[in-house]
Amino acid sequence: MTDIDIRGDFPLLAQSVNGQPLVYLDNAATTQKPRSVLDAMRHYYEFDNANVHRAAHALAARATDAMESARAAVATFIGAPAPEQVIFTRGTTESVNLVASSLAQGLVPGDEILVTAMEHHSNFVPWFEACRRSGAVLQTAGVTATGEIDLRDFTARLSPRTRVVAFAHVSNALGTLNPVEEMLALVRQQAPAAKVLIDGAQAALHVPLDVRALDADFYAFSAHKMFGPTGMGVLYGRRDALEALPPYQFGGEMIEAVSLEAVTYNRLPYRFEAGTPNIAGAIGLGAAVDYLNTIPRDTLVRREASLVSDAMRALADMPGVRLVGTPKQRVGVVSFLVEGGHAHDVGTLLDQQGVAVRTGHHCTMPLMHALGVNGTVRASFSLYNDASDLERLLRAMHKTLTFL
Ligand SMILES: *Cc1c(COP(=O)(O)O)cnc(C)c1O
């Protein structure tokens, strides 16, 4: 298993930081990009750059084709029934904002929105704001000491008044893989009127997706966490759920006809894509998906999972190290604290040894609060990490412990 080497496809990884070969373990914040993604974006700007749709010339046709092929590739990758159910956005954050601000228009005081205490701020603050504006009540399902959603509390907070339920597929702070199928079934049973949005930012790369089978109303993710570019993301929606949403932003591209008296809106997906889209970003995302289709993804996901469990075991054995979050099922992430050492200092000492991790609250302050910590040190793995990265992390941690 160890001889699979996709690392060579990622030019950035072949560098030294602070005099040591880089070990990049901040993949939950963003992933590096394979050469094919960089080439596809460069090719677009070098040869095909033109605004998309409604033009007679060859460049515009090529740019439109490239963008729409990317949409089709993404649709296939996630199991969407049709490409027009893939809305291009700036990222998970914008996808959630789109749904939250559109749904908020139909909410009245007394309606309820249910989220969990595990959410990234991107899947918490838009709902908080939707409640503030509409008078709806924000319900928050608690998390257990192991860093899992408390399903009993989640169920108890569902009611016929629940209009929206939003939760993460995988926690960015702890790596917890949530039982999304079971949670969806609970919502459909207890709160049949509710729309469900799943934040898939941490899942899209590591968990095989079939959005049609999963059947949430909305599923959001970001290109940059799955080997694609920043500033690019996706909102997938069930056709009925998307068609029932009022538009989010207004301007060019999203209209069908405009006169001084009346405006009619375009069909899916353009209704939700006001303005010139991130064409290069879409092409980069399409290339990332094409790349993922060429590598032995299942094998690499299994290797990543075994690196994560080895990391957990080894870190837990180090004196003074405490794991934060011990969920039964996890993906990609190990969060921990060192007794007597501030998380930020641990991060800095690791960086001096060429090991990049992230420290702090990971945009999940309600979760940190629920777990009684200010933040953690987070090592997050991706498909290009291998046993040598883990070994370097552990060696650097041993040395770090002697300094603290
Ligand atoms: C990164 C992340 C987000 C936000 O994604 P952006 O790309 O910053 O919009 C939301 N939720 C989770 C779980 C994340 O990991």
Side-chain angles (χ1 to χ4, degrees):
M1 222 153 63
T2 42
D3 19 303
I4 301 167
D5 182 23
I6 63 163
R7 184 188 296 254
D9 299 338
F10 294 78
L12 178 140
L13 294 173
Q15 68 179 289
S16 288
V17 167
N18 291 324
Q20 309 255 14
L22 170 66
V23 173
Y24 185 75
L25 295 175
D26 193 17
N27 294 288
T30 199
T31 56
Q32 301 307 338
K33 322 303 171 199
R35 193 172 286 106
S36 60
V37 167
L38 305 173
D39 287 349
M41 294 176 75
R42 184 179 177 90
H43 181 93
Y44 162 69
Y45 279 127
E46 223 170 74
F47 299 101
D48 300 336
N49 178 52
N51 210 331
V52 289
H53 305 134
R54 298 174 320 279
H57 66 84
L59 294 185
R62 291 212 297 265
T64 305
D65 272 0
M67 187 174 99
E68 295 306 330
S69 313
R71 196 189 307 272
V74 172
T76 305
F77 184 74
I78 63 172
E84 62 266 26
Q85 287 167 262
V86 171
I87 314 291
F88 285 148
T89 65
R90 268 195 317 119
T92 307
T93 303
E94 189 180 41
S95 298
V96 178
N97 273 278
L98 190 168
V99 177
S101 64
S102 299
L103 286 180
Q105 296 176 44
L107 296 178
V108 295
D111 285 347
E112 295 184 357
I113 295 179
L114 174 61
V115 297
T116 85
M118 184 188 282
E119 301 314 308
H120 189 285
H121 295 161
S122 290
N123 196 30
F124 184 87
V125 183
W127 303 114
F128 187 93
E129 190 59 23
C131 286
R132 203 183 59 75
R133 286 190 198 172
S134 65
V137 176
L138 187 67
Q139 293 275 356
T140 307
V143 292
T144 64
T146 56
E148 290 162 298
I149 293 170
D150 180 342
L151 285 186
R152 251 206 282 178
D153 191 39
F154 179 82
T155 311
R157 288 174 191 276
L158 288 166
S159 89
R161 289 184 305 277
T162 313
R163 292 287 171 268
V164 188
V165 183
F167 49 83
H169 198 158
V170 171
S171 156
N172 65 302
L174 308 178
T176 312
L177 173 63
N178 291 317
V180 289
E181 289 89 356
E182 189 182 346
M183 292 169 76
L184 263 164
L186 288 167
V187 177
R188 300 302 189 214
Q189 211 171 58
Q190 311 279 333
K195 296 276 180 249
V196 176
L197 178 143
I198 298 180
D199 170 354
Q202 293 298 333
L205 178 65
H206 313 261
V207 181
L209 273 183
D210 183 345
V211 289
R212 190 210 297 248
L214 187 58
D215 207 26
D217 296 277
F218 304 106
Y219 195 95
F221 55 97
S222 298
H224 72 100
K225 292 184 177 176
M226 50 188 292
F227 303 164
T230 52
M232 185 66 209
V234 167
L235 174 68
Y236 161 79
R238 273 170 53 144
R239 189 181 291 276
D240 59 342
L242 287 173
E243 280 175 349
L245 274 193
Y248 164 61
Q249 289 182 337
F250 301 86
E253 205 76 21
M254 56 79 67
I255 51 87
E256 182 187 62
V258 178
S259 72
L260 294 184
E261 293 76 32
V263 176
T264 53
Y265 300 128
N266 208 337
R267 62 195 161 83
L268 295 176
Y270 311 113
R271 216 155 97 81
F272 296 107
E273 295 181 355
T276 300
N278 180 357
I279 304 162
I283 290 168
L285 171 58
V289 163
D290 291 345
Y291 176 77
L292 285 168
N293 288 332
T294 65
I295 58 174
R297 193 162 158 237
D298 293 349
T299 310
L300 293 168
V301 165
R302 278 200 300 278
R303 173 175 76 176
E304 180 196 273
S306 78
L307 288 176
V308 169
S309 56
D310 290 351
M312 276 171 48
R313 243 192 322 271
L315 286 165
D317 279 348
M318 291 183 185
V321 175
R322 173 167 77 86
L323 299 181
V324 180
T326 49
K328 282 189 289 294
Q329 299 219 66
R330 76 158 72 208
V331 179
V333 169
V334 190
S335 250
F336 58 95
L337 283 171
V338 177
E339 213 176 278
H342 195 281
H344 187 76
D345 297 335
V346 176
T348 304
L349 288 165
L350 291 175
D351 180 57
Q352 283 168 8
Q353 300 169 78
V355 178
V357 297
R358 189 155 292 251
T359 62
H361 56 62
H362 316 299
C363 296
T364 56
M365 289 173 85
L367 176 63
M368 297 294 114
H369 182 77
L371 296 172
V373 299
N374 291 323
T376 71
V377 184
R378 179 186 73 184
S380 54
F381 293 77
S382 193
L383 306 186
Y384 40 63
N385 291 117
D386 61 19
S388 73
D389 293 324
L390 175 59
E391 200 187 301
R392 286 274 312 282
L393 168 69
L394 297 177
R395 228 189 309 147
M397 272 299 295
H398 277 296
K399 198 154 170 197
T400 296
L401 290 174
T402 66
F403 286 126
L404 291 169

